Amino acid sequence: MTIPSWPPSPPAASLLRLGFAGTGWIGLNRMEALLKSGLARAAMLQDPCEDMIAKARTLAPDAEIAASFETLLEADLDAVVIASPSGMHACQAIAALESGKAVFCQKPLGRNGGEVRAVVETARKADRLLGLDLSYRHTRGLQAIRKAIREDRLGKVFALDLVFHNAYGPGKSWFFDKAQSGGGCLIDLGVHLVDMGLWLLDFPKIKQVCASLHSGGSLLTPEDRAQTGGAVEDHAAAQLRTENGTMLRLACSWHLHAGTDAVIRADIHGTQAGASFANMAGSFHNFETRLLHATTSELLCGPPEDWGGLAAVQWLKKLANGGKFEREAENFCAVSDILDCIYSV
């Protein structure tokens, strides 16, 4: 006799039907998190690479295969999860929203502020839920720091130092093609730093931006950055000043001689206390978060933590509760506008 599992699995007909466009490493990771939630099933997969589709079928053996993104949109789906190359994000998201489907997209949502704003406005008009994989804000550590700031445990926050150095850099050639990627390490890694800073401070207005971008050790001029076919930056540093004088200092890079796999940090400086969120031993996944007082520190949280898919799962829960447009999506425009400013100064 087969003993039924408890709690029983919901019938397939009651699960949200998701289409997945792009099934590379990040796409598969987010697919796994979404399926484990028990709220959805992978109804259709689309990727030009047969090997990637084969890997995705191990997670979703019953999913149909779409010959193209257009075919995917013709299917009876509740939402589309987009993990294609960056240059396709905006047009695919707009097409999916216009077809009546909610969207969860990998970052960046667009290659510039204009593309991002077009996606957000389409979601608003269609009244469909739009999610973006800004994953670090879902870690326990940054959640704890944001709570401490809101509870005034740090006093007046006057400066943030935000760093993301990846000693390897991306493995796909399209990352180095500005027409497809929109830029280099800034739009790839810096988007997380800008979002971290703005989100921790509840999205203040930025009054001043200064920056320097390098490629292969050479400074890129504003004219260099404006060239569509020019080199993309592999090191970027920027300083932002908010309306009330708080400073945000950002630095990110690919292929930096960092002495370890990655350096990922957020250091928050307040008049009563500080806080730090830092990766451990070069890890991309394990973080330690501390509250700082003068020469002492208090551990707030550390590993283990499975946080990578939390942004996607949170979006899915909202989808299950109606999936209507949320004004929070307007913050995606604020992040992309800051990136545009950094590229242009």
Side-chain angles (χ1 to χ4, degrees), residues 94-227:
I94 288 171
L97 291 163
E98 289 180 338
S99 73
K101 298 167 178 61
V103 166
F104 183 79
C105 188
Q106 274 307 305
K107 56 79 189 170
L109 186 56
R111 292 167 293 184
N112 53 58
E115 287 190 348
V116 171
R117 190 160 280 102
V119 177
V120 172
E121 287 305 313
T122 302
R124 189 197 313 277
K125 291 177 182 177
D127 198 19
R128 300 303 297 150
L129 185 66
L130 174 63
L132 184 59
D133 200 2
L134 296 167
S135 51
Y136 289 89
R137 61 161 77 172
H138 296 274
T139 58
R140 285 199 305 260
L142 287 181
Q143 292 275 343
I145 292 174
R146 189 176 193 234
K147 184 173 184 288
I149 292 173
R150 289 183 160 191
E151 293 176 348
D152 201 29
R153 295 170 65 191
L154 305 188
K156 176 180 171 56
V157 173
F158 58 88
L160 293 82
D161 291 304
L162 308 162
V163 174
F164 196 151
H165 298 303
N166 181 339
Y168 300 102
K172 301 288 182 64
S173 61
W174 62 262
F175 278 92
F176 301 92
D177 179 352
K178 191 181 298 185
Q180 296 187 66
S181 64
C185 65
L186 177 63
I187 199 167
D188 178 39
L189 308 177
V191 62
H192 286 301
L193 302 181
V194 173
D195 181 66
M196 280 184 205
L198 297 184
W199 177 77
L200 285 171
L201 299 177
D202 286 326
F203 287 86
K205 290 184 179 180
I206 301 297
K207 301 300 291 184
Q208 186 180 57
V209 176
C210 60
S212 62
L213 279 64
H214 289 80
S215 178
S218 297
L219 183 66
L220 296 174
T221 67
E223 292 75 23
D224 293 331
R225 303 174 205 173
Q227 293 179 13

Side-chain angles (χ1 to χ4, degrees), residues 198-312:
L198 297 184
W199 177 77
L200 285 171
L201 299 177
D202 286 326
F203 287 86
K205 290 184 179 180
I206 301 297
K207 301 300 291 184
Q208 186 180 57
V209 176
C210 60
S212 62
L213 279 64
H214 289 80
S215 178
S218 297
L219 183 66
L220 296 174
T221 67
E223 292 75 23
D224 293 331
R225 303 174 205 173
Q227 293 179 13
T228 304
V232 299
E233 74 285 351
D234 54 24
H235 185 279
Q239 184 167 284
L240 318 177
R241 181 174 60 82
T242 71
E243 195 171 43
N244 68 357
T246 303
M247 302 303 298
L248 290 79
R249 296 180 288 263
L250 321 173
C252 60
S253 68
W254 294 332
H255 304 123
L256 189 75
H257 299 290
T260 188
D261 291 352
V263 180
I264 309 170
R265 291 188 64 96
D267 293 296
I268 294 83
H269 309 290
T271 54
Q272 295 180 23
S276 73
F277 170 83
N279 68 321
M280 303 175 65
S283 173
F284 286 93
H285 308 290
N286 296 327
F287 294 87
E288 185 176 83
T289 304
R290 290 183 172 274
L291 190 64
L292 312 175
H293 292 279
T295 59
T296 64
S297 69
E298 170 193 348
L299 180 65
L300 295 180
C301 54
E305 179 185 10
D306 185 13
W307 55 271
L310 291 182

Side-chain angles (χ1 to χ4, degrees), residues 3 36 39 66 75-76 96 138 179 186 220 315 338:
I3 300 175
K36 281 184 176 179
L39 297 173
D76 180 19
H138 296 274
L186 177 63
L220 296 174
W315 164 84
I338 295 301

